[in-house]
Amino acid sequence: MRCPNCRAELRAQALFCSHCGHAVRESQLAPIKPARPPKKNDPGLDHWRVLSQWHNRSGILLVEPRGAPPNAIARYLAVQLAAELDPHTLKQLGALRHPHLAHALVQVKDTQTRTPYLIVEGVLGTPLDLAQEKLGATRATKIFEKILGAMIYLHDQNWVVAQKTHGDASMVRHLARWFNRGAPTLGETGLADPVKRFQQAFALDASDNPILFDYAIWETAPAAPREREERIRQDMRLTVGMLYWLRTSGRLTKELENLRRTSGQLEQFMLNVLQEAYTNFQELGEKFSQIIQAPEPGKTLPLPPPPPVSAVTQRLPLQKLTFAAMTDAGKTRNQNEDNYLAQPFGANAGLFLVADGMGGHDAGEVASKIGIDEMYKRAVAEWETTHTAPADQVRQTLIAWLREANVRILATGRAHGINLGTTLTGALVANGVAFPLNVGDSRTYLFRSGRLHQLTRDHSLVASLVQAGLVTPAEAYTHPQRNEIFRALGQQSEITPDVFSPVQLGNEDRLIVCSDGLWEMVRPSQFEKILLEQPQPPNACAELIRAANENGGADNITLIIVRVAFE
């Protein structure tokens, strides 16, 4: 679609041209009358009518399109800018899409002073700082999780909080001194005013959804690696200051000593951020999620009990495994970047893994192969001591294998100057139990009594949105950011793999290990129907791959099915 005034290319649903501000189509709220040229003393903005200051905030105006009816819902804000945005920056802002970000529409000017403003859409509710006192610690933590999701997304899109927002105070050296000799003064930390400015950039709606609307506090990240890393650290300190304020209404800068004396997980998390324990927002987000929301690895997932077996069979300690593994490039990919391992250790044990080389990286198939090969080598070398070890020791061993695979992929990428990354999921089966493991968004399932149960959790942005109740499981399949994962092998020097407590296997249970090319294409109801109709692993694998291709085949498809039966 093109603007009828300047002919610039626009997004399909645009109401106003992001280049000249001209109305290009009818609003979803009400028809917009053609904008009249502003009069000399007209108190308003180009093509927009000012209704009032938004909650008496200086530089933030509640506005509506000229011609909108009086009863239209006011959902537009005009946020004052320090300087005009260049067209490239404005285009980048307009392309941002996240549930907790207001949509940047167009840059306009005050009809009298010519001061620049940015019009944003989708802001309902009240300023976050006015709502804080009524939140309570639990609500505040859930709100912060949503804010953190927006922060992860913005940094992933190459944005950082503007340096002028942070101010010139250096916090690093003062924090280092404080951890050795006592709390710094408010001025030493450089946190107080930036946190307040950061708080005022958010609105909070009636459903406890925070919306970042003030893009004047953001700028594109610097290109220089060291400067970029420092800016990310600054933003993480700013973010943890927001968490403390949301939960307590207090200033972290005034209460650092109290925080240091508290032994809670969240308090320790905040101290770790200040001590620069995390290198990026993805890592910070993972740790926060582990503390407050995600199921803890090592805890047994709630599953229906295994089906009953005969008294004779109950005395048999061994189970028999039959399995099949298949892979297919799908209908849209020329190359298959998946790899798998289906390695039996006798008749009743084995290691079953699927790795999905990350699309868009330099050599996904290389990364997935290294991950699989490293796990195989470690399993063969350490099997005799591993499969007879206590459950917690098995978990720690699997974590060590995954971390070694991560080191190998990272080292290979650095040696060849390429960016390598892969997911990896699966299960180690021994002594009648399965240890599910996962890094990324490939999945391991248990099929029991006609129902499919996901044993692993996705390390993805959309999975976090589903957990937070912002996206339904059905919407996750078509969400535009469904392929954005925040944990993978080969992407950073330290990872935290998920290895869960053992799942007791029962007669006729089936484990399914698969890449997202399968589960994104085959919905649970169809998945379960195929498994019910095809009890033999080879037939079920073939039918699931056929279904995935018929449903689009948008990615490489790889799966392993392991069937459990008592001897």
Side-chain angles (χ1 to χ4, degrees):
M1 185 173 69
R2 291 186 177 275
C3 173
N5 181 48
C6 70
R7 306 303 298 166
E9 188 70 30
L10 304 175
R11 63 186 177 90
Q13 301 301 317
L15 300 180
F16 298 88
C17 177
S18 57
H19 300 272
C20 69
H22 195 279
V24 296
R25 62 190 285 274
E26 289 188 339
S27 168
Q28 295 176 347
L29 295 176
I32 298 178
K33 299 176 182 178
R36 61 170 176 79
K39 297 179 181 178
K40 183 176 181 180
N41 296 318
D42 191 7
L45 306 173
D46 296 337
H47 308 300
W48 295 81
R49 181 167 61 243
V50 176
L51 302 177
S52 65
Q53 268 193 340
W54 187 63
H55 293 275
N56 297 316
R57 296 297 167 91
S58 176
I60 304 176
L61 306 173
L62 188 65
V63 299
E64 67 180 10
R66 292 189 183 280
N71 60 346
I73 299 174
R75 59 174 184 178
Y76 302 97
L77 293 183
V79 182
Q80 185 175 334
L81 302 171
E84 251 186 282
L85 300 175
D86 63 82
H88 178 67
T89 301
L90 189 60
K91 184 177 180 180
Q92 287 181 307
L93 285 173
L96 295 175
R97 294 290 186 276
H98 190 275
H100 301 301
L101 299 181
H103 181 210
L105 287 178
V106 64
Q107 184 175 224
V108 297
K109 290 185 178 180
D110 187 292
T111 54
Q112 298 182 32
T113 65
R114 310 309 293 168
T115 301
Y117 284 81
L118 180 67
I119 303 292
V120 296
E121 179 186 23
V123 182
L124 299 173
T126 60
L128 177 60
D129 57 325
L130 297 184
Q132 186 278 332
E133 290 184 0
K134 301 178 181 179
L135 294 181
T138 301
R139 283 179 64 197
T141 303
K142 292 180 178 179
I143 290 168
F144 175 78
E145 184 179 21
K146 300 172 185 178
I147 292 173
L148 185 55
M151 294 291 286
I152 291 172
Y153 171 76
L154 282 166
H155 282 81
D156 186 56
Q157 299 298 311
N158 204 40
W159 291 88
V160 293
V161 176
Q163 186 63 55
K164 64 184 179 183
T165 304
H166 285 290
D168 297 327
S170 173
M171 185 178 174
V172 178
R173 63 179 182 273
H174 297 297
L175 280 174
R177 283 193 347 218
W178 171 71
F179 281 110
N180 291 322
R181 55 85 174 159
T185 65
L186 186 64
E188 284 182 329
T189 62
L191 264 178
D193 291 338
V195 169
K196 184 176 181 180
R197 181 72 178 86
F198 193 52
Q199 296 160 3
Q200 294 173 345
F202 288 87
L204 188 69
D205 70 13
S207 300
D208 276 357
N209 290 315
I211 302 295
L212 173 65
F213 64 86
D214 188 354
Y215 292 108
I217 71 168
W218 289 86
E219 63 189 15
T220 53
R226 286 189 178 181
E227 185 180 356
R228 181 189 181 93
E229 289 170 4
E230 174 55 30
R231 296 291 294 280
I232 291 172
R233 286 194 291 268
Q234 286 182 339
D235 288 2
M236 287 194 289
R237 294 191 293 265
L238 187 64
T239 304
V240 81
M242 168 75 97
L243 171 60
Y244 190 81
W245 170 78
L246 279 169
R247 285 175 56 84
T248 68
S249 76
R251 294 284 187 190
L252 183 57
T253 50
K254 292 183 177 180
E255 301 176 30
L256 282 169
E257 193 61 38
N258 291 335
L259 188 68
R260 191 182 186 185
R261 289 195 294 264
T262 307
S263 59
Q265 283 188 302
L266 271 179
E267 288 76 13
Q268 187 57 53
F269 165 77
M270 287 185 268
L271 286 176
N272 287 343
V273 174
L274 297 181
Q275 290 178 294
E276 301 180 1
Y278 311 113
T279 58
N280 54 56
F281 268 92
Q282 287 80 7
E283 188 179 351
L284 184 149
E286 289 176 39
K287 185 60 179 177
F288 183 77
S289 179
Q290 289 173 14
I291 292 172
I292 61 98
Q293 187 181 68
E296 289 287 342
K299 291 186 178 179
T300 303
L301 299 176
L303 297 170
V309 295
S310 69
V312 174
T313 306
Q314 283 180 337
R315 293 197 294 269
L316 294 174
L318 303 182
Q319 293 167 307
K320 182 180 179 180
L321 306 179
T322 57
F323 61 88
M326 293 186 184
T327 187
D328 188 90
K331 298 182 70 174
T332 64
R333 303 292 178 91
N334 295 324
Q335 188 170 352
N336 193 337
E337 296 184 326
D338 290 355
N339 272 283
Y340 67 84
L341 174 69
Q343 177 61 49
F345 291 98
N348 66 336
L351 182 62
F352 306 94
L353 305 170
V354 166
D356 178 2
M358 291 165 58
H361 288 65
D362 294 327
E365 73 282 0
V366 174
S368 62
K369 186 176 187 305
I370 294 173
I372 291 294
D373 288 350
E374 185 61 30
M375 294 291 287
Y376 170 75
K377 292 175 185 176
R378 297 296 295 269
V380 170
E382 302 177 29
W383 181 256
E384 290 303 321
T385 56
T386 299
H387 81 283
T388 57
D392 192 58
Q393 187 176 329
V394 175
R395 288 188 58 248
Q396 296 306 316
T397 297
L398 290 171
I399 290 172
W401 293 358
L402 287 163
R403 286 176 172 164
E404 184 61 29
N406 179 67
V407 170
R408 281 286 311 282
I409 296 169
L410 196 63
T412 302
R414 288 173 176 172
H416 293 85
I418 56 177
N419 185 14
L420 298 178
T422 185
T423 71
L424 196 147
T425 192
L428 183 148
V429 179
N431 303 315
V433 299
F435 290 83
L437 58 91
N438 189 58
V439 179
D441 64 348
S442 297
R443 291 182 177 178
T444 298
Y445 293 97
L446 173 69
F447 183 68
R448 172 177 288 172
S449 302
R451 297 298 303 274
L452 198 64
H453 305 275
Q454 185 178 338
L455 298 181
T456 56
R457 57 173 181 168
D458 299 344
H459 301 137
S460 68
L461 173 62
V462 169
S464 298
L465 296 177
V466 171
Q467 282 188 317
L470 304 176
V471 173
T472 67
E475 291 170 338
Y477 285 96
T478 57
H479 195 281
Q481 295 163 267
R482 62 186 178 278
N483 294 319
E484 292 188 18
I485 64 175
F486 54 74
R487 197 184 308 183
L489 298 179
Q491 292 298 286
Q492 55 191 36
S493 57
E494 296 292 335
I495 63 163
T496 306
D498 280 351
V499 179
F500 294 87
S501 284
V503 175
Q504 184 69 46
L505 297 175
N507 195 38
E508 293 303 322
D509 278 350
R510 272 174 277 177
L511 292 170
I512 299 94
V513 184
C514 64
S515 61
D516 62 345
L518 178 67
W519 67 258
E520 281 194 350
M521 293 291 104
V522 183
R523 303 297 170 87
S525 58
Q526 186 182 15
F527 213 133
E528 292 171 347
K529 183 174 183 293
I530 291 172
L531 290 171
L532 280 171
E533 294 174 350
Q534 304 291 344
Q536 298 303 321
N539 297 340
C541 283
E543 188 63 20
L544 283 166
I545 286 180
R546 184 196 62 78
N549 278 320
E550 283 188 352
N551 294 343
D555 201 352
N556 305 149
I557 310 158
T558 302
L559 76 156
I560 304 169
I561 298 180
V562 183
R563 185 183 182 190
V564 180
F566 282 91
E567 292 182 328

